[in-house]
Amino acid sequence: VSGGPSEPRCGTSGPVCSAAEVTESPNEATTIGAEKWDDVGQKATLPLVSESQVFWYGDNLTVMREHVADNSVDLIYLDPPFNSQRIYNRFFGELDGTESDAQRRAFDDYWQWGPEAAEAFREVVHPRERRSIVPATLSQTLEMFRAIHPDSNLLAYLSMMAVRLIEMRRVLKNGGALYLHCDPTAGHYLKLLLDSLFGAKCFQNEVIWKRTTAHSGTGRFGPIHDTIFYYTKGEASTWNQQRLGYTQEYLDKYYKFDDGDGRLYWRDNLTASGVRRGDSGAPWRGVDPTAIGRHWAIPKAARRAVGNRSTLEALDELDKLGRIYWPPAGRVPQYKSYREDLQGKVVSDIWDDIDRINSVGLERTGYPTQKPVALLDRIIRTSSNEGDVVLDPFCGCGTAVVAAQRAGRNWIGVDITHVAVSVLRRRLDTEFPGLPYRVRGEPEDVASARRLAAERWDEFQAWIVDKVSGLPLSPTEEKKVAKKGKDGGIDGLLLFRDDPKAPRSHRMILSVKGGEQLNPGMIDALFGVVSRENATAGALLTAYPPTAGMRKTALAYGDYASESFDPGKRYPKIQIVSVEDLFDPKWRGLLFPGPNTSHRSEPPAMTKGPAVAKAEEDLATFVLKASEPKKPKAKQQKLGLPAPKARKG
Ligand SMILES: C[S@@+](CC[C@H](N)C(=O)[O-])C[C@H]1O[C@@H](n2cnc3c(N)ncnc32)[C@H](O)[C@@H]1O
């Protein structure tokens, strides 16, 4: 680690600054300082054993508290919701760049002051059980936030973050690093939380990631960057200097001279402007630098090769090594800088060389707010070594997990939504077939599946639709399609293709029922949706066993066969799957002809049914109406003013 104002200060693998060199946080003297804090933190004994190569489906607060041991993680990257007060949907079927109609609510970035936020606030400001790991500075900072933003949505967000950051610091090893990814919405408050928790002297960098080039901002500058706060904990932390590679264009432009042995080089200056006395101003091999107003200046890389000799001796040595280029007719010699010796430019705290995931990028999963693997790769390689444990408690579609796996690190990922689980599972299975990883926290038996249905209905739908290998549908999309209030009977789709030459896949409509009260009318309703949407088949997915009457009704709707795939075979038009079936090892999955194409790049064909067509028609009329120029109002006509302009978009 080299010196400099922005170099790591608190315990990196380079020289550790003495306390005198760092600015003390004003509160630190009165509260738990870094060392005392570590002692206290270690005393908090929790009977936990962390396991890695594991992805947890659940709230990271519970997962960290119940399953991640103290001082067990080398690096934490977190990319929490930014408090944008938005709902993010995951778009399916966009891998080939085609927009899909099917989307699922992935996660909410919407915070409200309420009992849960108040409890998180209380746990930080008046800690009871976890007193030993909550520094007083953090409590004071959160209280200060309440004074500025009493009982607000922002305070709810910051309380939720504070209570989780406490656990992150607990599980981080001494010498570990934490990178918090955020944007300017709440970044300044988050930094204060981190300073209060880790101590200001453990702050290392504010990395600016230029994530996009253009963003129009009406009445303000276009926001084009995210911020990543980098903190370390305790003693010497891992620091592997990262360097930037060179573009081919640059290499071809400058490193183009051939040495005759295939090695390409650039001719670097051996002199600098200004006359000097002594060795560096003396003539060498008939060339006098003083005569042209210059002096000998050995480039840094060349100096490393020849050591600490006098200038003229160093020039002799370089010539002996064949590193001097002699131009014709007594002109000034130059230094041969070989392409193969290039080390690359040291990475600084502005990262403008990593593009965000674009709409047709191969890496794209359709998960909102997905970050590029290159970004995570840089962080992971800088602050961890092979075999280290990387934790991402807000891991979404698992970019950190993928980068960690590629770099040979152990990892723990956590996300609260099942959409994230299904995307990550597919991502890992595609990129690392056969990788022995575990997913924990999903329903593992009938009872836990029913509990999920009772406690988190949306999540149960996502889980059960994924379990039968279908695509979940967002409530908004479902409402738009069915127009029958909240439960329109379409909770997901399963696509299959019986003919590889056919332009589109067939659709099986999936409808989920979480309650105990089931009746044959539900089968009739499903058949109605299947017919209305011109789908091929339908399946009812239930948390409780279906009645005999339901099975009879389903059978009565008959079956169908495919002309191109296994022509003799017949498939039930309406099927029923209960959670008992899902946990029965004999259950073989839903029945349909041909391969399941739900998770391929083709967009699900949701636009055929009359309800969808009507919804689209309404939307088109609405857009047309909105863009029509308004008729000039009487007053405007009187004054001879032009009609208001049509609105764009
Ligand atoms: C900004 S996204 C992360 C994106 C991720 N870095 C990627 O590349 O895909 C934030 C994620 O945090 C998850 N999340 C929100 N609250 C959570 C909680 N309490 N526990 C676990 N995950 C949570 C959301 O479901 C969402 O997937």
Side-chain angles (χ1 to χ4, degrees):
V1 176
S2 56
S6 58
E7 291 298 328
R9 294 181 296 164
C10 161
T12 62
S13 53
V16 178
C17 293
S18 68
E21 286 176 88
V22 295
T23 322
E24 289 284 345
S25 117
N27 289 325
E28 245 162 25
T30 58
T31 57
I32 309 170
E35 276 140 51
K36 212 166 147 201
W37 158 263
D38 286 337
D39 291 339
V40 177
Q42 277 166 22
K43 267 186 224 153
T45 44
L46 290 166
L48 307 175
V49 188
S50 309
E51 56 174 347
S52 54
Q53 261 49 11
V54 60
F55 180 53
W56 284 96
Y57 168 46
D59 185 339
N60 51 24
L61 185 62
T62 319
V63 170
M64 285 188 286
R65 283 183 176 172
E66 293 181 4
H67 303 285
V68 188
D70 298 358
N71 303 304
S72 61
V73 168
D74 299 276
L75 167 65
I76 298 178
Y77 165 81
L78 65 148
D79 173 20
F82 292 174
N83 194 30
S84 62
Q85 300 294 342
R86 278 186 57 185
I87 291 166
Y88 286 95
N89 286 329
R90 185 209 168 196
F91 290 85
F92 291 97
E94 289 176 324
L95 296 179
D96 62 354
T98 352
E99 284 291 325
S100 154
D101 284 339
Q103 43 175 286
R104 166 107 216 147
R105 182 162 162 165
F107 66 91
D108 297 355
D109 185 4
Y110 193 84
W111 309 94
Q112 258 185 327
W113 187 256
E116 209 184 325
E119 176 58 16
F121 180 85
R122 191 203 59 72
E123 285 191 32
V124 179
V125 174
H126 306 292
R128 275 185 228 124
E129 321 78 46
R130 309 182 83 72
R131 189 189 311 260
S132 63
I133 58 166
V134 183
T137 34
L138 186 69
S139 313
Q140 289 156 6
T141 301
L142 202 61
E143 251 183 322
M144 177 186 80
F145 289 164
R146 182 165 67 173
I148 312 171
H149 303 286
D151 302 349
S152 61
N153 295 347
L154 178 63
L155 188 66
Y157 172 71
L158 294 169
S159 305
M160 163 280 197
M161 286 302 296
V163 78
R164 284 164 176 81
L165 285 169
I166 291 166
E167 299 304 324
M168 287 178 222
R169 194 180 186 285
R170 174 185 65 77
V171 304
L172 196 60
K173 282 184 190 165
N174 275 328
L178 176 138
Y179 289 75
L180 188 155
H181 191 141
C182 54
D183 75 0
T185 316
H188 46 310
Y189 294 106
L190 292 171
K191 182 167 188 299
L192 280 176
L193 288 182
L194 289 168
D195 276 353
S196 324
L197 180 62
F198 282 78
K201 63 185 175 186
C202 289
F203 165 66
Q204 306 299 353
N205 281 115
E206 174 177 344
V207 172
I208 299 299
W209 174 44
K210 183 171 170 247
R211 63 182 155 75
T212 177
T213 44
H215 203 298
S216 60
T218 332
R220 62 173 190 151
F221 302 111
I224 60 165
H225 82 276
D226 282 358
T227 303
I228 302 171
F229 293 120
Y230 163 38
Y231 282 74
T232 51
K233 176 182 170 186
E235 290 310 306
S237 70
T238 302
W239 174 258
N240 302 315
Q241 182 75 72
Q242 299 298 301
R243 290 173 184 273
L244 296 174
Y246 295 93
T247 63
Q248 199 56 43
E249 194 189 356
Y250 170 87
L251 294 173
D252 294 346
K253 186 167 171 196
Y254 296 104
Y255 287 76
K256 60 183 176 193
F257 302 106
D258 194 341
D259 210 10
D261 60 1
R263 292 191 300 163
L264 297 174
Y265 68 89
W266 173 55
R267 292 173 190 157
D268 198 355
N269 273 336
L270 269 177
T271 61
S273 66
V275 171
R276 299 273 187 284
R277 288 168 187 226
D279 225 19
S280 61
W284 179 68
R285 308 255 171 115
V287 179
D288 183 1
T290 309
I292 50 168
R294 298 180 72 83
H295 64 278
W296 297 113
I298 308 219
K300 261 192 203 156
R303 186 44 92 183
R304 275 198 292 274
V306 294
N308 200 17
R309 301 160 196 257
S310 73
T311 306
L312 296 186
E313 281 172 358
L315 287 169
D316 282 339
E317 185 63 18
L318 287 174
D319 200 25
K320 213 155 76 188
L321 294 170
R323 304 295 297 241
I324 304 283
Y325 166 72
W326 288 99
R331 280 164 53 206
V332 183
Q334 287 172 298
Y335 173 68
K336 290 184 192 172
S337 168
Y338 287 103
R339 204 187 254 211
E340 62 191 30
D341 293 340
L342 284 176
Q343 278 196 307
K345 234 171 84 186
V346 165
V347 173
S348 62
D349 62 1
I350 296 188
W351 298 359
D352 57 3
D353 58 315
I354 298 176
D355 290 338
R356 68 165 173 186
I357 307 283
N358 65 37
S359 57
V360 288
L362 279 181
E363 218 178 295
R364 186 160 205 220
T365 61
Y367 197 81
T369 71
Q370 180 187 353
K371 302 297 178 297
V373 175
L375 186 82
L376 270 300
D377 183 71
R378 178 168 296 166
I379 291 171
I380 287 171
R381 288 186 195 275
T382 303
S383 290
S384 69
N385 294 312
E386 255 182 62
D388 280 357
V389 179
V390 178
L391 164 69
D392 183 347
F394 292 90
C395 86
C397 67
T399 311
V401 161
V402 169
Q405 184 63 40
R406 283 189 195 170
R409 272 54 166 179
N410 291 310
W411 50 263
I412 304 170
V414 190
D415 204 282
I416 200 166
T417 63
H418 202 274
V419 175
V421 177
S422 66
V423 179
L424 178 59
R425 197 181 254 138
R426 280 191 182 88
R427 213 174 167 189
L428 287 176
D429 292 347
T430 310
E431 180 158 347
F432 312 102
L435 179 76
Y437 67 91
R438 283 163 299 249
V439 179
R440 298 252 192 254
E442 281 186 301
E444 283 174 1
D445 50 31
V446 172
S448 51
R450 287 189 185 141
R451 227 176 8 254
L452 184 64
E455 288 167 8
R456 296 173 71 203
W457 168 239
D458 242 27
E459 285 299 306
F460 175 74
Q461 281 186 20
W463 169 77
I464 199 165
V465 167
D466 184 57
K467 199 84 179 144
V468 298
S469 302
L471 282 172
L473 207 62
S474 83
T476 352
E477 189 61 23
E478 179 196 342
K479 236 169 155 178
K480 190 176 115 191
V481 170
K483 286 196 157 183
K484 271 195 189 164
K486 204 159 185 320
D487 187 359
I490 310 180
D491 300 314
L493 290 174
L494 188 144
L495 307 178
F496 59 91
R497 190 174 283 226
D498 60 347
D499 177 1
K501 286 190 235 96
R504 295 186 87 83
S505 295
H506 289 271
R507 289 168 303 143
M508 182 186 283
I509 304 259
L510 306 177
S511 176
V512 181
K513 298 285 169 208
E516 276 182 79
Q517 304 303 321
L518 297 167
N519 58 63
M522 292 169 176
I523 300 292
D524 294 330
L526 174 60
F527 185 77
V529 177
V530 170
S531 315
R532 188 189 69 206
E533 297 301 322
N534 295 332
T536 307
L540 196 75
L541 315 176
T542 65
Y544 287 86
T547 62
M550 287 169 80
R551 292 206 186 279
K552 217 167 123 195
T553 313
L555 268 179
Y557 281 114
D559 47 25
Y560 69 98
S562 162
E563 283 170 18
S564 42
F565 190 93
D566 209 353
K569 195 162 173 192
R570 306 213 54 89
Y571 299 87
K573 191 121 183 128
I574 299 292
Q575 301 174 42
I576 309 176
V577 181
S578 70
V579 291
E580 272 90 354
D581 295 324
L582 293 176
F583 291 106
D584 181 347
K586 291 202 279 310
W587 186 68
R588 288 281 163 263
L590 288 167
L591 305 170
F592 48 87
N596 184 337
T597 52
S598 309
H599 296 278
R600 299 235 184 114
S601 55
E602 183 210 51
M606 279 302 299
T607 47
K608 291 214 177 127
V612 183
K614 174 82 176 59
E616 281 192 345
E617 210 177 278
D618 290 352
L619 191 69
T621 326
F622 171 77
V623 172
L624 269 178
K625 275 193 186 147
S627 59
E628 272 168 15
K630 286 204 181 88
K631 285 200 184 118
K633 285 197 178 133
K635 197 173 164 196
Q636 274 165 321
Q637 277 174 329
K638 230 192 229 166
L639 294 170
L641 294 173
K645 279 193 186 142
R647 284 173 58 168
K648 282 189 189 152

